[in-house]
Amino acid sequence: MGLKFCTYPIGQDVLTLEFQGLTPLFLRQIMSGLRAHFGQHLDILAVNGSLTLFEKDISNSQTAIEVFLSGFHLSETDKPHSWELAVHYNGADLDALSLQLGLSTQQIIELHQSQTYTIEGFGFLPGFFYASSLPKSLHLARKNTPALRVPPRSVAIAGEQTGVYPVETSGGWHVLGEIAFDLFDHRSQPPMLMNVGDELRFKSVTKQELHEWSQAWMQVSKRKQLLSCSR
Amino acid sequence: MLEIIRAGLFDTIQDLGRFGFRSLGVAVSGAMHQKAFAEANARLGNHPNDAALEIGQIGGVYRFHTPTFFTLSGAPKEARLNGLALSSAQVHKAKADDELFIGRSIEGVYTYLAIKGGFQTDCILNSRSMHPSLFEHPRLQKGQQLAYESHGQFEANSLPETPSGGAEEEYVLEAQRGPEFHFLLHPNLLTQLKFKVADFNRMGYRLLPSTHLKKSTKSIRSCAVFPGIVQLTPSGECIVLHRDAQVSGGYPRILVLSDESLDRLAACSRDQSVKLLLR
C-alpha cells in the first residue's frame, strides 16, 4: 500500500511532508530513504508525524520528492533500538504533581517507569526529545508559568509526553528527577545516541548509583552499550 | 588575540550559522544582519563564513594583542582606536596593544567587527556562532581572549560603500503567506496596520499592536519553525522568529519573511515602525 501524504513548501528553502498515521519508526525509515536518495546532509526535522526538509531551493524538488515518496516501501520488519535511562527521582515538582494528580509520589515514580516510550522527534533545545506515550493518569498540561530555572539533565513530563532537559533553561514541564550525564554531546559523532522511532524506558536508581552511571558515561566508546536495553 | 577589556551589552561571535543539525533540535543562529556581516568579510577578502564579533546596541572596549587588519560594518557606532575616531566602511590596521572603543548605535542595532582571516574561536557542530544552548556563556565576557591569526601585510579590497543597518522612516517587511495564514480572521488588517517593534532579542521580535489580529479559536500541534516565520500568539501578537529561533513551535505560522526583510528587521530598534507587505 502506498504512503498517504501531502507536501507543501514554506518559502523557497523549506518543504514540509505530512503523513497520515505513520509511526515514528516509519518516519525514521523515510528520513533515511530521503537522505540516501537526495543527499546525506539533508536537514530533516520530524515533528508530530510530519517531516520538514531544509535545503537551498528545496521547493524546486517538490515533485521529485513526491514521486520518490509514492514509490517508497515501508519495512515492517525494522526493529527500533531500545534504550534505558537510569533516573534518580528527586525532582522539584514531585510534591506539587502529587497534589495535582491525586497520586502519591511513589505511584508517580512507578507509573513513569511502567511504560515503554517512543521518541517522536527533537525540538526546543539541542538533544531535547519528545517521547510518547505517558500513562494516562500522569497526563497534565504544562505549568501556567514556566520555571525560570530547570536544572540540566532533568527528566520531566507534560501533556502525554516525557523528555529530558539537556541544559539549564527555563521551562514549563514538570520535573520528576535527573539522569547522570549530558545525553547531547557535540564532541561525539553523532552528538545524540537516540533517534526518532527509538524506544525508551526509565528505571529508578539511588543517588550513589547515579554517580556510578556518570562515571561509566566517561567511556565514550561504551556509551551505546551502557544505555542499550538488554531485554 | 583580541581581549575583551569591557564587554558590550550583547557581544557574540557569529558566522553564517549552523546547518544540518535541526533534526536534533539545534538552532541555526548566525549573524543577525547577514548583509552587513557579508560586507565586512568581503572588505577584508575573507571567506564568507569567517567569524566576526557581533556587537549589539552598545559596544565595549577591546584590545588587540597582535597586529592585524579589521573593519566595522552594519549599524554605525562611535568608534575610536587609541582615542582617535575611526571612519566607517574602511579597513583599519591594528598594532599590538591598540585599544578599540565602540560606543552606542547611532542608528540601527547590530555592528560587525570583522578581522583579517576571521576569529578562531570554539567551533561547535561546524559553526562558531554562539548560541546559549551550546556555549557556556550566551555572550562574551570581560577578560575573554578571542584568537586570530596575526597579519602584518594586506591589500584591502576597495569596495563601494553600501550603507546597511542604518535607520529609515518606516521599514517595509516583505512576507509570503505562511501555512496557517487562514487562521487570521481579518487577514487584510495585516498589511493595513502600522506595527511597532515592542522588544527583541536574537531569537525573535515582538510586534505590537495585537488587538486587531484575533485569530480563530483553532489550535495547532507543534510544527517546524525557522528564522523568518511570523507566529501569532493566543493573545494576538505577532512574533517574528530570528536567527536563534528554536526549531519547532506551537503557534500558527501566519507569514514567512524574506531573508532581506530579516536583515531589515535586525536594523530595527525598540519602537521602530514597520509595515508588512504581502508578496
Side-chain angles (χ1 to χ4, degrees), chain A residues 8 43-45 48 54 126-127, chain B residues 20 22-24 133 221-222 247:
Chain A
Y8 58 88
D43 206 359
I44 310 177
L45 180 68
N48 281 323
F54 298 86
Chain B
R22 269 186 265 229
S23 54
L24 294 177
S133 66
R221 302 182 72 191
S222 296
V247 298

Side-chain angles (χ1 to χ4, degrees), chain A residues 79-118:
Chain A
K79 287 267 179 296
H81 196 93
S82 292
W83 307 98
E84 189 168 63
L85 283 178
V87 185
H88 182 50
Y89 286 96
N90 62 344
D93 297 326
L94 275 174
D95 289 339
L97 268 177
S98 171
L99 280 173
Q100 285 172 281
L101 295 170
L103 298 165
S104 71
T105 55
Q106 194 50 41
Q107 283 174 313
I108 293 170
I109 292 165
E110 277 166 18
L111 279 163
H112 188 249
Q113 293 172 80
S114 69
Q115 192 83 338
T116 299
Y117 300 91
T118 304

Side-chain angles (χ1 to χ4, degrees), chain B residues 28-230:
Chain B
V28 176
S29 309
M32 289 292 283
H33 202 299
Q34 295 270 333
K35 191 174 156 227
F37 168 79
E39 194 179 308
N41 271 334
R43 256 185 238 150
L44 292 161
N46 282 353
H47 186 275
N49 197 34
D50 279 347
L53 172 59
E54 180 178 278
I55 301 168
Q57 220 136 12
I58 300 172
V61 178
Y62 316 90
R63 185 179 294 143
F64 296 92
H65 283 240
T66 49
T68 187
F69 294 87
F70 71 94
T71 190
L72 297 165
S73 71
K77 289 177 166 71
E78 186 193 353
R80 282 183 268 130
L81 190 65
N82 300 328
L84 293 174
L86 290 177
S87 55
S88 60
Q90 277 182 13
V91 173
H92 306 280
K93 188 180 171 116
K95 305 184 302 298
D97 295 326
D98 276 359
E99 206 166 86
L100 177 65
F101 164 87
I102 308 275
R104 173 187 287 270
S105 286
I106 300 160
E107 290 168 352
V109 177
Y110 294 101
T111 304
Y112 295 90
L113 164 60
I115 201 157
K116 178 67 190 152
F119 288 105
Q120 307 297 312
T121 47
D122 287 348
C123 190
I124 293 179
L125 302 174
N126 307 335
S127 169
R128 301 186 203 279
S129 287
M130 289 170 62
H131 187 279
S133 66
L134 291 173
F135 282 72
E136 196 185 347
H137 300 292
R139 62 193 84 167
L140 295 170
Q141 316 274 312
K142 177 184 174 171
Q144 253 180 292
Q145 311 244 352
L146 312 175
Y148 60 82
E149 281 169 25
S150 175
H151 288 271
Q153 291 296 320
F154 166 66
E155 198 74 30
N157 283 358
S158 58
L159 292 169
E161 185 178 349
T162 52
S164 56
E168 294 165 31
E169 187 93 335
E170 183 174 83
Y171 285 71
V172 177
L173 306 176
E174 282 184 9
Q176 282 180 280
R177 288 179 160 83
E180 284 83 43
F181 182 80
H182 58 280
F183 275 51
L184 289 165
L185 287 183
H186 306 291
N188 49 343
L189 272 175
L190 261 190
T191 47
Q192 288 164 12
L193 273 176
K194 195 176 239 186
F195 290 96
K196 261 187 190 276
V197 173
D199 41 38
F200 65 93
N201 57 31
R202 287 191 41 93
M203 287 179 78
Y205 287 68
R206 196 159 60 98
L207 304 182
L208 290 174
S210 57
T211 46
H212 304 284
L213 287 167
K214 290 270 167 22
K215 86 175 174 69
S216 71
T217 50
K218 283 183 279 184
S219 63
I220 61 161
R221 302 182 72 191
S222 296
C223 51
V225 297
F226 51 91
I229 284 281
V230 183

Side-chain angles (χ1 to χ4, degrees), chain A residues 8 10-11 14 31 35 43-45 47-48 52 54 122-128 130 167 184 186 191-192, chain B residues 19-26 124-125 133-134 176 179 221-226 229 246-248 253 256:
Chain A
Y8 58 88
I10 315 176
V14 182
M31 287 168 90
R35 287 201 177 110
D43 206 359
I44 310 177
L45 180 68
V47 192
N48 281 323
T52 298
F54 298 86
F122 294 85
F124 179 42
L125 288 167
F128 187 94
Y130 297 88
V167 290
F184 186 87
H186 64 77
M192 190 82 194
Chain B
F19 300 93
F21 298 96
R22 269 186 265 229
S23 54
L24 294 177
V26 180
I124 293 179
L125 302 174
S133 66
L134 291 173
Q176 282 180 280
R221 302 182 72 191
S222 296
C223 51
V225 297
F226 51 91
I229 284 281
Q246 295 172 9
V247 298
S248 57
R253 303 160 294 179
V256 191

Side-chain angles (χ1 to χ4, degrees), chain A residues 5 11 63 73 77 96 126 133 154 162 169 180 203 216 219 223:
Chain A
F5 64 90
T63 311
H73 291 285
T77 53
S133 307
S154 288
T162 187
T169 178
K203 76 165 178 192
Q219 283 199 296
R223 283 178 182 174

